[in-house]
Amino acid sequence: MPDFYGTEVASRLMLGTAQYPSPSVLAEAFRASAAGIATVSVRREAGGEQAGQDFWRLIQDLGVAVLPNTAGCHSVREAVTTAQMARELFDTNWIKLEVIGHSDTLQPDPFGLVDAAAQLIEDGFDVFPYCTEDLVLCERLIEVGCKVLMPWGAPIGTGMGLNNIYGLRSLRAHFPDVPLVVDAGLGLPSHVAQAMELGYDAVLLNTAVAKAGDPVAMAKAFALAVEAGALAAQADPMDARDMAVPSTPVLGKAIL
Amino acid sequence: MKIIVNGEPIETETPTLEALLVKLGKGDAKVATSLNETFVPNTRRAEQCLKDGDRVEIVAPRQGG
């Protein structure tokens, strides 16, 4: 099972908490997914609203580790201050660091990401950087002290799956000992199985479960896919070939 | 004095960040704060004075992906 900053997590599935039809469906989906980590955010609370307090109680009842994010931050300053507020609110050094560089694709800003990661690690944070599969960026993130990498599968919320298999495979090969998590863009259990088959340590998804017609059933489907993919990776899959090779013995075939 | 709280201008005479939170009914709430884009830990809210034009952010736990 994956180890993030010295904490072993009992599941390879990390699940977001946004966009569910109701808090009870959220809780039920989490139970069905057996996810070990829940991602959360910090946001303004309007007037006398108590939604944040109610949500916090719900999350505590899930009994999972909490990974706050800096979603929506476009600058290093915003991301660092948001991370500091999240650390106090959720009482954890873990932070899923998002520094968004492009509004249409929500692509991470690689330059701001490295800068913010360096500042936060210096300040004692355990940074989970939401990044692209760019090898040079990932090397820089490791250099500044990141001990986990979270490359995107595809842009957030698109459900397109793994857009760059070659890049993700390269990343796995270059960083055999760094926990790698495919984060974002996963739409189907088959995408998740594929990520695990590439040897990734975990996946993080949200919309694919929350926006499914039946989020609880979909959560279970993702849990099964994670397990299947991880087991396949451990079982050393065969290499693909260009030419057909008969599986039934040729020797002994009747000559007719 | 006029300050901005979560993007909304308000008139207040509360001298500190802590006093502002109490006035807004969030004295005991699970919230985090920043002043002029800089994080203010809960242990420093009582000594954090407010002045005209300050920008305060008060955030709470929320759903996220």
Side-chain angles (χ1 to χ4, degrees):
Chain A
M1 284 299 165
D3 183 301
F4 300 123
Y5 291 96
T7 299
E8 192 175 351
V9 179
S11 168
R12 296 181 184 278
L13 184 56
M14 301 157 74
L15 196 55
T17 56
Q19 299 184 300
Y20 291 83
S22 71
S24 63
V25 171
L26 185 163
E28 214 179 323
F30 261 83
R31 279 191 289 274
S33 74
I37 294 176
T39 53
V40 294
S41 72
V42 301
R43 287 291 182 263
R44 292 168 171 173
E45 211 174 30
E49 191 188 8
Q50 295 293 309
Q53 320 302 315
D54 295 341
F55 173 68
W56 177 234
R57 280 190 288 276
L58 174 71
I59 291 301
Q60 285 177 304
D61 289 345
L62 294 178
V64 298
V66 171
L67 176 60
N69 68 29
T70 63
C73 292
H74 286 251
S75 72
V76 172
R77 177 83 184 266
E78 258 187 307
V80 168
T81 302
T82 301
Q84 290 168 329
M85 293 195 288
R87 175 161 66 179
E88 183 179 276
L89 266 185
F90 296 107
D91 195 25
T92 176
N93 287 328
W94 285 9
I95 190 74
K96 176 187 163 183
L97 180 60
E98 293 185 32
V99 182
I100 300 300
H102 192 276
S103 296
D104 291 337
T105 61
L106 300 181
Q107 178 178 332
D109 168 359
F111 312 102
L113 185 62
V114 173
D115 188 356
Q119 289 186 38
L120 290 170
I121 288 165
E122 179 73 22
D123 192 20
F125 281 87
D126 297 332
V127 173
F128 294 61
Y130 167 59
C131 54
T132 64
E133 70 281 11
D134 186 298
L135 270 182
V136 180
L137 164 62
C138 289
E139 279 177 357
R140 296 287 183 277
L141 289 168
I142 298 289
E143 282 168 15
V144 300
C146 292
K147 292 183 167 52
V148 179
L149 294 171
M150 300 216 300
W152 64 353
I156 295 170
T158 60
M160 290 195 291
L162 308 184
N163 262 354
N164 182 359
I165 299 282
Y166 165 78
L168 292 171
R169 188 180 284 126
S170 296
L171 209 57
R172 180 70 286 176
H174 278 79
F175 301 107
D177 301 321
V178 177
L180 298 181
V181 182
V182 173
D183 174 13
L186 301 168
L188 290 168
S190 54
H191 301 153
V192 163
Q194 195 175 21
M196 303 312 297
E197 287 159 8
L198 290 176
Y200 274 65
D201 296 276
V203 291
L204 198 173
L205 55 112
N206 188 157
T207 311
V209 169
K211 290 301 201 184
D214 184 343
V216 178
M218 190 59 86
K220 179 69 176 173
F222 273 107
L224 293 169
V226 165
E227 201 176 327
L231 192 58
Q234 288 164 18
D236 190 15
M238 65 169 280
D239 293 324
R241 294 185 282 227
D242 290 331
M243 299 298 290
V245 178
S247 49
T248 302
V250 176
L251 192 67
K253 179 185 174 294
I255 308 296
L256 303 170
Chain B
M1 62 183 165
K2 184 183 280 186
I3 63 172
I4 310 289
V5 178
N6 286 354
E8 299 292 331
I10 67 165
E11 279 288 344
T12 183
E13 295 308 320
T14 51
T16 65
L17 190 53
E18 179 75 27
L20 175 69
L21 284 171
V22 170
K23 190 179 178 205
L24 294 174
K26 296 185 183 299
D28 298 321
K30 189 172 185 60
V31 293
T33 52
S34 72
L35 178 65
N36 301 328
E37 292 80 48
T38 299
F39 171 58
V40 181
N42 55 13
T43 51
R44 295 224 302 268
R45 287 178 198 151
E47 66 202 48
Q48 181 62 63
C49 296
L50 296 176
K51 64 180 189 310
D52 192 56
D54 274 345
R55 298 176 304 282
V56 174
E57 288 286 335
I58 304 167
V59 296
R62 192 58 63 91
Q63 294 84 349

